[in-house]
Amino acid sequence: QVQLAESGGGSVQAGGSLRLACTGSQYTGSSGCMGWFRETPGKGREGLAAIGAAGSTAYADSLKGRFTISRDNAKKTMYLQMNTLKPEDTGMYYCAADRRAWATDSCRAPSRVSEFSYRGQGTQVTVSS
């Protein structure tokens, strides 16, 4: 069974939008933390957003409100809505999840999302100018 899998990536023009989805057997549901991180040519690995079991959210300051993380526990799916995309957003996007205590504590800031126990294979986002 797939632990986590992303979908929804693709190619868009600058200013466009995409919605990424993440689901799988390691969807944390009522415990732990889930989030998104990316790897881009310009910044390398970057934590983007995190969402806790109760729905609390945290974002990287650099996103300036362009991205929104959400989850639907009934569908066991987490989302990342990305608006006003820029060419520098081009990269591979990953979802991640962890139920350990330190991860729950880290859910207040997304910087350590890439260290979570479970991650997907990534989905490519390409933004053209």
Side-chain angles (χ1 to χ4, degrees):
Q1 192 173 9
V2 175
Q3 293 184 336
L4 288 173
E6 304 89 347
S7 62
S11 297
V12 296
Q13 290 188 328
S17 299
L18 284 173
R19 188 175 78 156
L20 307 183
C22 172
T23 191
S25 64
Q26 293 301 328
Y27 181 86
T28 58
S30 60
S31 64
C33 182
M34 296 188 71
W36 294 91
F37 68 97
R38 67 185 178 187
E39 292 183 342
T40 65
K43 292 188 175 181
R45 185 169 293 179
E46 180 185 15
L48 300 174
I51 186 165
S56 59
T57 59
Y59 296 93
D61 292 340
S62 61
L63 297 180
K64 295 183 180 179
R66 296 187 297 121
F67 292 7
T68 302
I69 190 171
S70 63
R71 62 195 298 171
D72 184 335
N73 287 337
K75 295 181 179 180
K76 296 185 178 180
T77 303
M78 176 180 66
Y79 302 97
L80 186 68
Q81 177 68 43
M82 305 186 296
N83 298 327
T84 319
L85 284 163
K86 305 175 182 180
E88 51 264 42
D89 293 318
T90 294
M92 189 69 78
Y93 285 69
Y94 300 86
C95 66
D98 204 308
R99 294 181 178 82
R100 292 175 292 177
W102 76 262
T104 300
D105 292 340
S106 295
C107 221
R108 291 187 290 271
S111 59
R112 298 188 68 183
V113 169
S114 63
E115 300 175 42
F116 285 0
S117 295
Y118 302 101
R119 67 177 68 175
Q121 294 297 309
T123 186
Q124 177 68 35
V125 171
T126 302
V127 185
S128 58
S129 58

